[in-house]
Amino acid sequence: MTKKWFRIGLLGIFILSLALRFWGLERFNTLVFDEVYFAKFGNNYLTHTPFFNAHPPLSQYMIGIGIWLGSHIPFWHDTVNGLTGSMRSPWTYRWFNALTGSFIPLVVAAIAYQLSYRRSFALLAGLFTACDGLFLVESRYALSNIYIVIFGLLGHWFLLLALDKQNRRRSFWLVFAGIAFGASVGTKWNGLWFLSGAYLIWIVAWIIQGTHSFANAKLFFKSPSLEEAEGRRQEPGARSQESGARRQESGARSQDSEAVASPRASAEFRGKEVGISTYSPPFIPSPSSESPLQNLTQLNIFQMLFYLGIIPAFIYSIIWIPHLQLDKTYGFIAVHQQILKFHLHLGGNSSDVHPYCAAWYKWPLMIRPMAYYYQTAESITEPLPVMGPPLPAGAGQVIYDVHAMGNPFLWWFGVAAMLFLVGMLVSQAVMPWVKEKRFLVPATLSIDTWIGLYLVINYAANLAPWVKVTRCVFIYHYMCAVVFVFLAIAWFVDQCLRSYYQQLRALGVTITFIILAAFIFWMPIYLGLPLSPDGYKLRMWFNSWI
């Protein structure tokens, strides 16, 4: 794929995201779901109204900036309401989120490209992200989760850019990474998991290098059977030592020239030279170029603590200044104590607390999505209902439903791809022991192995902390983790499409088609389009989705 077509593809993805997020943005002239908090809070900053915020304030600043800018644009003010505390058009408190959310597919594509330098992988990652329903819904309303995700992803992208640079240019991108991670935490505390993922992959890189150095010193763990076999080989080997030396000398010269000729041969030659296994399962391409993640060990502990410790903490702290100047009820420490107290007293994670409570293990398979808006009307010609309960059962002939629900097949295929990556990594660790009866470390890791490590570690970093959370949580808390699922299925499909086997290429095309078709099929409940009762039931495949 040429650079020109790559850029055209990225532009097409951005235009698709932009169009879907801005279409009919003001249709529901009311506050949808948590807009009752975040849109009001954003307006409170403009009217200088003190209030308690149960989250860090950055996303409400962004919404407030959007309201201020939108109120100075002489368009899209046909409908207004006073639900935020001032007379505002729904467009003014939603458009900035829509614009921000439109960039998320591009950032995901940028991360994919920076991980692999494969344009096809990057385009697939961006396209799949643009075809997710939960991200589409969250972008169309004045909610906060879009900002956690985009700042966290920007932190990772900047970190990858930094690893690809040297000296001052590296420091430049590391500073931006620290700022982005601090902004993610400054939106909601769970933005911290993006930063923890960066630390974990850094630690793993050092462990791999340490293990490699350990193996390089020829401190192998050998099985007794292998030691006996080597002992038996040494006796006859002594008798032919002289002739073997001559063959070895000529073979080394030939091997050296082959190593220079191709990167793969070079990797294998280095592996044999230090006694390290270069075993790689057949579905893992041999290393042909380096991944920026291989440079993680060029960052020492002091750089990590400064750029990804002190800078994020500093950014997080200054984010609070405008809020604390507005609401002087609590100081910096006291307000954090109050926020923690608020979340600890939200109640257990059951439907008794909230009908849409969904524990973490329900998220990957999308067992319990939630309705952000649900109203009924007698006919499609009636004005859009915005207030009051739905009509009695059987009376409403038209249903308007905005469902915070992902693209089912994108999520399900993505989980399968993530499990495939886990299996790939485990097989790479186990198979050398099974085949050669000793613990061996590859001389170099392939790009796909680094991608697998990066995706699995960051997915776990953003999901695992929720295991211990006892308060009521919802499916939107999965957004920080599911972006790595999108990257996983994009990687898998890209591998299929690049395969020599026709069946695998057909599989990649089929998966892509199903994801796109599913997005179109469920789009009415993402955009709140009018549906008949039968059309609504057709899209609610499980009772737990309603």
Side-chain angles (χ1 to χ4, degrees):
M1 180 186 299
T2 63
K3 186 181 292 187
K4 175 184 176 181
W5 284 109
F6 178 57
R7 290 175 176 172
I8 291 174
L10 290 177
L11 179 62
I13 290 171
F14 179 67
I15 292 174
L16 172 67
S17 299
L18 204 67
L20 289 174
R21 281 158 176 78
F22 273 89
W23 178 85
L25 202 59
E26 75 291 343
R27 287 175 67 236
F28 301 116
N29 186 21
T30 185
L31 297 179
V32 173
F33 189 54
D34 276 351
E35 284 186 330
V36 297
Y37 303 112
F38 298 121
K40 284 183 178 179
F41 293 168
N43 190 69
N44 285 347
Y45 288 121
L46 300 177
T47 59
H48 306 286
T49 305
F51 65 97
F52 172 72
N53 195 346
H55 296 288
L58 182 57
S59 65
Q60 290 90 77
Y61 295 162
M62 306 294 280
I63 294 170
I65 291 171
I67 292 174
W68 184 84
L69 290 173
S71 64
H72 288 78
I73 297 175
F75 309 108
W76 300 294
H77 296 285
D78 297 334
T79 57
V80 295
N81 64 66
L83 299 175
T84 61
S86 303
M87 294 302 294
R88 305 287 186 190
S89 164
W91 190 89
T92 61
Y93 52 79
R94 291 172 183 164
W95 78 271
F96 203 71
N97 275 49
L99 180 63
T100 303
S102 299
F103 282 99
I104 289 181
L106 295 187
V107 179
V108 173
I111 290 174
Y113 180 77
Q114 203 62 34
L115 283 171
S116 63
Y117 306 113
R118 295 175 191 156
R119 292 166 183 163
S120 55
F121 174 32
L123 284 181
L124 285 168
L127 176 63
F128 290 164
T129 305
C131 291
D132 181 66
L134 182 57
F135 276 78
L136 175 58
V137 170
E138 284 279 335
S139 301
R140 286 174 54 82
Y141 300 98
L143 307 172
S144 64
N145 298 300
I146 287 299
Y147 297 103
I148 315 172
V149 175
I150 195 166
F151 286 129
L153 291 177
L154 283 173
H156 276 275
W157 183 39
F158 294 150
L159 175 60
L160 291 171
L161 287 172
L163 294 173
D164 208 23
K165 310 297 181 183
Q166 293 293 337
N167 303 326
R168 291 183 179 179
R169 295 181 69 186
R170 172 170 290 178
S171 299
F172 174 82
W173 289 113
L174 284 173
V175 168
F176 273 93
I179 292 172
F181 283 129
S184 183
V185 183
T187 304
K188 279 188 178 180
W189 284 350
N190 53 297
L192 186 63
W193 310 144
F194 280 112
L195 183 57
S196 68
Y199 270 94
L200 286 173
I201 190 67
W202 175 74
I203 291 170
V204 168
W206 274 103
I207 291 173
I208 290 172
Q209 186 185 57
T211 309
H212 174 73
S213 300
F214 181 72
N216 196 25
K218 299 184 184 296
L219 297 177
F220 296 100
F221 296 101
K222 299 181 180 179
S223 66
S225 60
L226 185 65
E227 290 178 354
E228 290 177 11
E230 286 183 347
R232 287 194 298 270
R233 285 199 299 269
Q234 282 173 356
E235 276 188 41
R239 290 193 297 268
S240 58
Q241 194 171 27
E242 185 177 348
S243 61
R246 287 194 297 270
R247 288 195 302 270
Q248 201 170 25
E249 184 179 352
S250 62
R253 285 196 297 268
S254 171
Q255 210 168 24
D256 195 13
S257 63
E258 288 178 7
V260 174
S262 75
R264 176 176 180 178
S266 176
E268 292 177 352
F269 175 71
R270 289 194 303 271
K272 292 172 183 176
E273 188 179 23
V274 298
I276 298 172
S277 168
T278 55
Y279 168 79
S280 183
F283 48 83
I284 303 298
S286 298
S288 57
S289 60
E290 292 188 352
S291 164
L293 295 172
Q294 291 175 333
N295 299 329
L296 277 167
T297 52
Q298 295 176 10
L299 301 179
N300 58 45
I301 183 66
F302 300 106
Q303 289 174 302
M304 291 293 291
L305 289 178
F306 177 73
Y307 292 111
L308 301 186
I310 294 175
I311 290 179
F314 173 73
I315 295 299
Y316 177 81
S317 299
I318 64 174
I319 282 171
W320 276 96
I321 292 175
H323 179 83
L324 295 177
Q325 287 181 333
L326 176 66
D327 184 7
K328 302 183 186 299
T329 307
Y330 302 106
F332 183 76
I333 302 298
V335 74
H336 283 77
Q337 292 173 337
Q338 291 299 316
I339 291 174
L340 181 61
K341 182 179 178 181
F342 170 84
H343 289 289
L344 290 176
H345 289 82
L346 274 181
N349 204 3
S350 70
S351 57
D352 296 334
V353 176
H354 192 285
Y356 286 112
C357 281
W360 66 272
Y361 54 84
K362 296 182 179 180
W363 300 341
L365 297 181
M366 208 175 65
I367 295 174
R368 188 59 172 153
M370 60 191 304
Y372 279 2
Y373 175 90
Y374 183 89
Q375 287 291 340
T376 55
E378 292 186 357
S379 71
I380 198 171
T381 58
E382 288 186 5
L384 290 175
V386 293
M387 300 294 289
L391 295 175
Q397 299 300 315
V398 179
I399 294 174
Y400 296 91
D401 175 44
V402 176
H403 233 65
M405 185 175 94
N407 182 330
F409 285 98
L410 174 60
W411 285 35
W412 296 336
F413 288 152
V415 169
M418 189 65 71
L419 292 175
F420 179 86
L421 283 172
V422 172
M424 179 188 83
L425 296 174
V426 171
S427 70
Q428 282 195 297
V430 172
M431 288 304 292
W433 175 266
V434 173
K435 285 199 167 191
E436 304 185 33
K437 304 301 181 185
R438 57 179 174 173
F439 178 74
L440 299 169
V441 181
T444 57
L445 296 183
S446 71
I447 286 181
D448 295 290
T449 302
W450 277 113
I451 291 173
L453 285 169
Y454 176 84
L455 297 182
V456 170
I457 288 171
N458 277 283
Y459 178 70
N462 282 276
L463 180 62
W466 295 102
V467 174
K468 290 293 185 180
V469 174
T470 56
R471 56 150 281 187
C472 178
V473 291
F474 305 96
I475 195 168
Y476 59 74
H477 289 117
Y478 186 53
M479 291 176 65
C480 298
V482 77
V483 286
F484 298 101
V485 168
F486 301 160
L487 282 162
I489 186 58
W491 173 86
F492 182 83
V493 170
D494 182 54
Q495 294 292 101
C496 290
L497 296 177
R498 294 168 61 246
S499 172
Y500 293 111
Y501 297 100
Q502 184 178 358
Q503 295 88 341
L504 286 178
R505 294 198 302 272
L507 176 63
V509 171
T510 302
I511 291 174
T512 303
F513 174 79
I514 291 174
I515 289 172
L516 295 176
F519 181 59
I520 295 171
F521 177 73
W522 274 283
M523 192 178 293
I525 63 172
Y526 301 147
L527 300 180
L529 301 179
L531 285 171
S532 67
D534 290 337
Y536 174 76
K537 291 177 183 177
L538 185 65
R539 289 162 176 82
M540 296 291 109
W541 284 10
F542 308 100
N543 289 332
S544 62
W545 285 9
I546 299 175

